[in-house]
Amino acid sequence: MCFMQKYFNVNLEFDKTKVDLIIESTISEGGKGYVCVIESNNLTVANRNKQFGEVVNNALVNVCDGSVLAMILGKIHRQDYRSYIGADIFYNYVNKKKYIQYFLGNTPHILSGLQTNLQKIDSRVESMSFEELPFRKVEEFDYEVIAQQINEANPDIIWVSLGAPKQEFFMAKLLP
């Protein structure tokens, strides 16, 4: 766990270089963890829901997803904060073309389109896993089966697309 600064009771890291260093060193050392992309709604939920607050604050690293949130926090703390949106992180790691990635969640149609488009960036994506998850409550997933499938694929990075706050709870439950 890195030592991020707390903003409205949520750990956030605004230094993109540090975020990438945390992620890449965790991968190279064979570690594991999850990254939360925090925007205003997540911040609000984390302050109203103690469990969700614990989930995001136990993340490997949290980044600020919203430029408005970064601007407000920057004005409060008199610093120049910039967001590091989830899409930028996603494309950053796909463009590196060096990690085995696993894409989890969403619909078969979306996953198929994603795979087709990502193959244009990295041809190796064709052999990577794209798995849908059934629509259900976060408590109802079979985490052991999902973890077994992921471990068989042996990815460096797992991308989860379930929407917030569901995906954060999902990642926290899947991690062990």
Side-chain angles (χ1 to χ4, degrees):
M1 171 105 44
C2 73
F3 298 98
M4 296 172 277
Q5 188 169 341
K6 279 198 182 208
Y7 302 88
F8 298 112
N9 302 315
V10 173
N11 297 324
L12 287 170
E13 180 56 62
F14 286 94
D15 183 334
K16 291 178 183 183
T17 303
K18 190 172 180 183
V19 169
D20 289 333
L21 181 64
I22 291 165
I23 293 169
E24 294 200 38
S25 65
T26 300
I27 293 169
S28 69
E29 293 168 6
K32 58 184 182 176
Y34 55 91
V35 176
C36 295
V37 181
I38 305 295
E39 41 79 35
S40 304
N41 181 56
N42 300 99
L43 202 59
T44 302
V45 174
N47 277 280
R48 291 185 177 168
N49 180 321
K50 184 179 178 189
Q51 265 189 308
F52 185 67
E54 289 173 6
V55 165
V56 297
N57 284 322
N58 285 325
L60 178 67
V61 65
N62 296 321
V63 297
C64 178
D65 192 43
S67 59
V68 172
L69 179 58
M71 180 189 69
I72 291 169
L73 290 173
K75 288 196 181 294
I76 291 170
H77 295 278
R78 295 188 177 132
Q79 295 202 22
D80 183 25
Y81 291 143
R82 306 276 176 173
S83 60
Y84 192 8
I85 63 172
D88 288 347
I89 295 171
F90 179 78
Y91 285 109
N92 179 22
Y93 282 89
V94 171
N95 282 318
K96 288 180 186 284
K97 301 178 187 178
K98 69 181 207 178
Y99 295 113
I100 298 169
Q101 301 179 61
Y102 195 100
F103 305 87
L104 186 59
N106 225 305
T107 66
H109 176 72
I110 298 294
L111 290 170
S112 175
L114 181 64
Q115 185 174 25
T116 298
N117 286 314
L118 294 180
Q119 284 173 323
K120 295 172 187 171
I121 299 169
D122 182 357
S123 61
R124 298 173 320 127
V125 167
E126 182 179 9
S127 64
M128 295 181 194
S129 298
F130 287 76
E131 301 293 333
E132 76 172 300
L133 288 172
F135 183 78
R136 59 178 51 148
K137 293 179 181 175
V138 75
E139 302 83 22
E140 296 174 354
F141 287 105
D142 189 339
Y143 290 97
E144 286 187 32
V145 169
I146 295 167
Q148 182 180 359
Q149 291 170 336
I150 291 169
N151 288 335
E152 287 172 8
N154 196 28
D156 299 304
I157 298 172
I158 304 163
W159 299 102
V160 178
S161 174
L162 293 173
K166 187 176 185 178
Q167 65 195 17
E168 288 81 6
F169 281 117
F170 178 89
M171 291 184 299
K173 288 181 175 291
L174 183 62
L175 183 64

